[in-house]
Amino acid sequence: FKRLEPLFKTLAPEEGYLYCGKSGAGHFTKMVHNGIEYAMLQAYGEGFELLDASDFRLDLKRIARLWNRGSVVRSWLLELAEDAFEKDPELSGFKGYVDDSGEGRWTVMEGVERGIPLPAIATALFRRFRSREEDAFSDRFIAALRKEFGGHRPKRK
């Protein structure tokens, strides 16, 4: 690390790198970082979905800007949200399909191995899996049973 530190210092933003310890410690730290990112993205996504679904016709770009300037939830992710809403206010150019690159899975699996509960990260990971399903069997199953026990009308194809 000491031999390569001048390179890291040149390439990274100010205070943007850290020696975390023995071999693998940096990778492990980055893995956990990315797991946290999964949960943060999920929380932002849910919050903005609720704002969008309201009757108030809110300007989501302006809200992202406000929250990023004067709120406890400010972050680079909100800067990116502001940019995304600037380019496509309804996000209509996107399909609701979210890949996972593996770090969220690894983080959740590490939590299971160590007996550390990670419900927010696990939920965010599972929501990514769910985003890939259209007309999921489990949803059809639930709709069918609701019809059976409560007479609820299912939507038909």
Side-chain angles (χ1 to χ4, degrees), residues 5-146:
E5 186 173 18
L7 175 68
F8 300 143
K9 192 171 189 172
T10 300
L11 295 176
E14 187 173 341
E15 297 187 45
Y17 70 95
L18 175 71
Y19 176 75
C20 293
K22 69 180 187 173
S23 180
H27 179 73
F28 184 81
T29 301
K30 177 62 172 162
M31 174 195 72
V32 173
H33 165 278
N34 288 2
I36 293 168
E37 177 189 313
Y38 274 48
M40 290 174 66
L41 286 168
Q42 184 65 35
Y44 281 136
E46 291 172 8
F48 277 96
E49 182 173 5
L50 183 57
L51 292 171
D52 184 58
S54 78
D55 296 331
F56 298 111
R57 299 177 46 96
L58 298 166
D59 184 332
L60 301 182
K61 176 185 165 263
R62 289 182 64 207
I63 291 169
R65 180 177 178 78
L66 169 69
W67 287 357
N68 204 42
R69 303 305 188 282
S71 168
V72 70
V73 298
R74 68 182 173 261
S75 74
W76 183 48
L77 293 173
L78 280 176
E79 289 178 33
L80 298 173
E82 188 179 343
D83 292 344
F85 288 129
E86 174 71 29
K87 294 172 187 164
D88 185 353
E90 304 297 319
L91 305 180
S92 57
F94 294 89
K95 184 174 170 138
Y97 180 104
V98 184
D99 271 322
D100 74 289
S101 54
E103 291 90 345
R105 290 180 194 216
W106 301 332
T107 304
V108 169
M109 289 168 31
E110 190 68 26
V112 169
E113 286 294 316
R114 296 180 180 276
I116 305 293
L118 304 172
I121 297 170
T123 298
L125 173 65
F126 295 144
R127 288 292 301 149
R128 287 186 180 203
F129 296 159
R130 182 63 167 187
S131 78
R132 301 170 199 170
E133 296 180 31
E134 290 186 32
D135 194 28
F137 179 84
S138 61
D139 291 339
R140 295 194 315 268
F141 176 86
I142 292 167
L145 268 59
R146 288 185 77 237

